[in-house]
Amino acid sequence: MSAQCCAGQLACCCGSAGCSLCCDCCPKIRQSRSTRFMYALYFILVVLLCCVMMSRTVATEMKEHIPFYEDICKGIKAGDTCEKLVGYSAVYRVCFGMACFFFIFCLLTLNINSSKGCRAHIHNGFWFFKLLLLAAMCSGAFFIPDQETFLNAWRYVGAIGGFIFIGIQLILLVEFAHKWNKNWTAGTATNKLWYAALAFVTLVMYSVAAGGLILMAVFYTQKEGCLENKILLGLNGGLCLLISVVAILPCVQNRQPHSGLLQSGLISCYVTYLTFSALSSKPVEVALDEHGKNVTICVPDFGQDLYRDENLVTGLGTTLLFVCILYSCLTSTTRSSSDALQGRYAAPELEVARCCFCFGPDGEDTEEQQNVKEGPRVIYDEKRGTVYSYSYFHFVFFLASLYVMMTVTSWFNYESANIETFFSGSWSIFWVKMASCWMCVLLYLGTLVAPLCCPSRQFSV
């Protein structure tokens, strides 16, 4: 590592300079991206800590292999076996500290439009001190008095914040569906091949949705019993049919010419995925067979073998889950996502059809088409103004902290929750996923029906 790189990283940690990739073979990085990835790294570190706290395997290994374990626990007043540092209550406290960290920065960065101010410098630098602040806030949560009252109140705050986080993701999914259709439809004015692309993608999505529902009907239902699964599959399949019919109604088409089957096909695919995820999250149902033995019902037979290696399933599943959460956080904090939540869209006549319509014509992210200034290892792309809302960015991570807290502790089944049985099934997780599914359908129907209910207002999707 060169002296110049060391000096740059020191300025990044203790000053307002942007962070870069130290390795000379690594490309330069934009300041706006490096800042977001640094906050994401802090988020990942706390999430990993939460997973460790919810792992009974880790707790057992520490007790067996750390010398004088009980004496250390008593010395730090964490209980005889450090029970205060593990379990759902410890996760609640750590996530409280992380949520407060992001909420403070959300308030600190309100109405920042330039990266040259003092508050912007704090947002984009001083990473070592911010890491110390995050650690102090997570640790300080363990010293909150009247822990029982705090945990009970914080649980409901977490549930509300978690549902708001889910709602934001669903709103952005619906916005993405409308944006996709509008962009590709704009291309049909100059090239009729875009009609073929629209038809092909729509056919593929409806095939996936229909095939998924049929497979779930085969593997998650039986001739006798499984009534709940049958009702839910029928209900969600009917909702997919409903949104498809509503999307092409003449009255809807008159008010929203860009409404079509592409959007409803994408929403149907997502509904199918959530239905599968919810059915996979149900607690195992057991019944007696003709020989008087306990057998699981209403689940695929081959699915039982997937859970034999408990650690493998837990590790892979947890990794995929939090990668998806992190991806949702980062994609939800762009300028375009913030504008979409506030109802600001580009004019249809300005649309240029592209296969990868989320990016500009030259391959660069559209939010970063600004005059940039290059440093030694950092591209300062916010000289003219911020390319994303700092405050909204921190607010999304604040909500994500609450969502992680509720997810890791199995929502309202917190007392019996641990990371090893995270994928073995929980009624709380099942109903959260089903509620998300229905919320997604309602949001999409709302975008179709709202212009009919309020004809005097202008709606843009």
Side-chain angles (χ1 to χ4, degrees), residues 58-72:
V58 172
T60 302
E61 291 294 322
M62 289 175 61
K63 185 176 181 180
E64 292 178 354
H65 294 91
I66 295 180
F68 310 106
Y69 180 75
E70 294 185 358
D71 295 335
I72 294 174

Side-chain angles (χ1 to χ4, degrees), residues 226-305:
C226 304
L227 180 62
E228 188 177 65
N229 289 5
K230 294 175 182 177
I231 292 174
L232 291 173
L233 285 172
L235 174 61
N236 290 351
L239 290 175
C240 292
L241 179 61
L242 174 64
I243 60 177
S244 302
V245 172
V246 172
I248 58 176
L249 286 176
C251 56
V252 174
Q253 290 286 315
N254 289 336
R255 289 286 295 169
Q256 296 194 68
H258 294 289
S259 174
L261 292 177
L262 179 67
Q263 300 100 306
S264 56
L266 179 61
I267 300 301
S268 296
C269 279
Y270 192 67
V271 167
T272 302
Y273 158 72
L274 283 180
T275 304
F276 167 73
S277 184
L279 293 179
S280 302
S281 301
K282 282 183 63 179
V284 175
E285 298 181 47
V286 180
L288 294 176
D289 62 5
E290 60 272 13
H291 303 294
K293 295 182 179 179
N294 288 330
V295 293
T296 56
I297 59 174
C298 306
V299 293
D301 294 333
F302 60 81
Q304 301 306 309
D305 297 331

Side-chain angles (χ1 to χ4, degrees), residues 39 42 97-105 130 133-134 137:
Y39 283 112
Y42 288 177
M98 179 167 64
C100 289
F101 173 82
F102 284 114
F103 187 72
I104 289 173
F105 275 93
K130 282 190 284 193
L133 175 63
L134 176 61
M137 298 185 80

Side-chain angles (χ1 to χ4, degrees), residues 320-395:
L320 289 174
L321 173 66
F322 291 114
V323 165
C324 291
I325 293 174
L326 185 61
Y327 175 79
S328 297
C329 291
L330 294 176
T331 55
S332 301
T333 52
T334 60
R335 176 71 70 183
S336 59
S337 298
S338 178
D339 290 343
L341 290 172
Q342 299 176 54
R344 298 198 296 260
Y345 301 91
E349 59 272 13
L350 300 179
E351 286 286 341
V352 178
R354 297 180 297 274
C355 290
C356 299
F357 60 91
C358 292
F359 297 88
D362 60 351
E364 287 290 343
D365 210 333
T366 54
E367 72 175 29
E368 296 168 353
Q369 297 295 323
Q370 302 191 35
N371 185 36
V372 298
K373 176 183 177 181
E374 296 191 11
R377 301 294 305 167
V378 181
I379 301 175
Y380 291 94
D381 57 338
E382 295 186 309
K383 288 298 180 181
R384 289 187 177 180
T386 59
V387 299
Y388 65 100
S389 171
Y390 293 173
S391 182
Y392 172 65
F393 171 85
H394 289 294
F395 181 69

Side-chain angles (χ1 to χ4, degrees), residues 38-60:
M38 285 299 296
Y39 283 112
L41 177 61
Y42 288 177
F43 180 80
I44 291 172
L45 291 176
V46 178
V47 168
L48 290 176
L49 178 61
C50 291
C51 291
V52 170
M53 287 178 165
M54 289 299 295
S55 174
R56 63 189 179 196
T57 302
V58 172
T60 302

